[in-house]
Amino acid sequence: MGGLFAGFSYAVMPGLRGVGDQAFVAVMQRINVAIVNWFFLLLYLGGLALSALAVGLLWFGSGGAALFWAIGGFVLYVVVFVVTAVVNVPLNDELAAAEDVEQIVDTSAVRRRFEDPWVRWNLVRAFASTGAFGCLVLALAVAVR
């Protein structure tokens, strides 16, 4: 997930920054429809489930320093989950509710309400999910030592 969110932060959104408002809204509407698929949901929800499983196994198993890192990874992934549910998905839904881009009277206003907060909070998701991955890798490394 860190790679996906980071890719949006350093490539997709900067690439869209230079396009007109109508094109921006149309592309983001299409991306927001395309990304909701079984593979994305498997990876997104699987990260939460597997990090919780790691915490559970370490809690009732060897624990130690590995448990500390696993809890850190789980907490960071929960941050990703909460930010997505509370900020990014509602922004995506608002963009979808703006109707067909050809029918929007003021695409500039739609873009202004969406772009800056979405980009800012996506960056939080990128850092948090990358941090979660790092913590979980450290938990694994400590646990198998």
Side-chain angles (χ1 to χ4, degrees), residues 44 47-48 51-52 71-85 128 132:
Y44 180 68
L48 187 64
S51 61
I71 290 171
F74 177 70
V75 168
L76 285 169
Y77 204 86
V78 168
V79 168
V80 171
F81 197 80
V82 169
V83 167
T84 300

Side-chain angles (χ1 to χ4, degrees), residues 130-142:
T130 302
F133 178 73
C135 286
L136 292 166
V137 167
L138 284 169
L140 180 62
V142 169

Side-chain angles (χ1 to χ4, degrees), residues 39-114:
F39 189 65
F40 169 79
L41 292 173
L42 176 68
L43 294 176
Y44 180 68
L45 297 174
L48 187 64
L50 290 176
S51 61
L53 178 64
V55 169
L57 290 173
L58 289 166
W59 187 278
F60 295 107
S62 62
L67 176 60
F68 168 80
W69 288 111
I71 290 171
F74 177 70
V75 168
L76 285 169
Y77 204 86
V78 168
V79 168
V80 171
F81 197 80
V82 169
V83 167
T84 300
V86 172
V87 180
N88 292 89
V89 168
L91 286 168
N92 293 346
D93 291 344
E94 183 180 324
L95 193 66
E99 300 175 4
D100 177 35
V101 73
E102 300 293 331
Q103 306 302 318
I104 299 172
V105 176
D106 189 0
T107 52
S108 177
V110 171
R111 182 178 187 167
R112 269 193 315 276
R113 284 192 307 274
F114 177 85

Side-chain angles (χ1 to χ4, degrees), residues 2-41:
L4 174 70
F5 297 138
F8 266 88
S9 292
Y10 64 73
V12 175
M13 300 310 283
L16 289 175
R17 192 174 300 129
V19 302
D21 297 334
Q22 190 173 18
F24 176 87
V25 171
V27 168
M28 287 307 298
Q29 284 177 333
R30 300 272 304 153
I31 288 171
N32 290 336
V33 169
I35 200 156
V36 181
N37 61 65
W38 70 269
F39 189 65
F40 169 79
L41 292 173

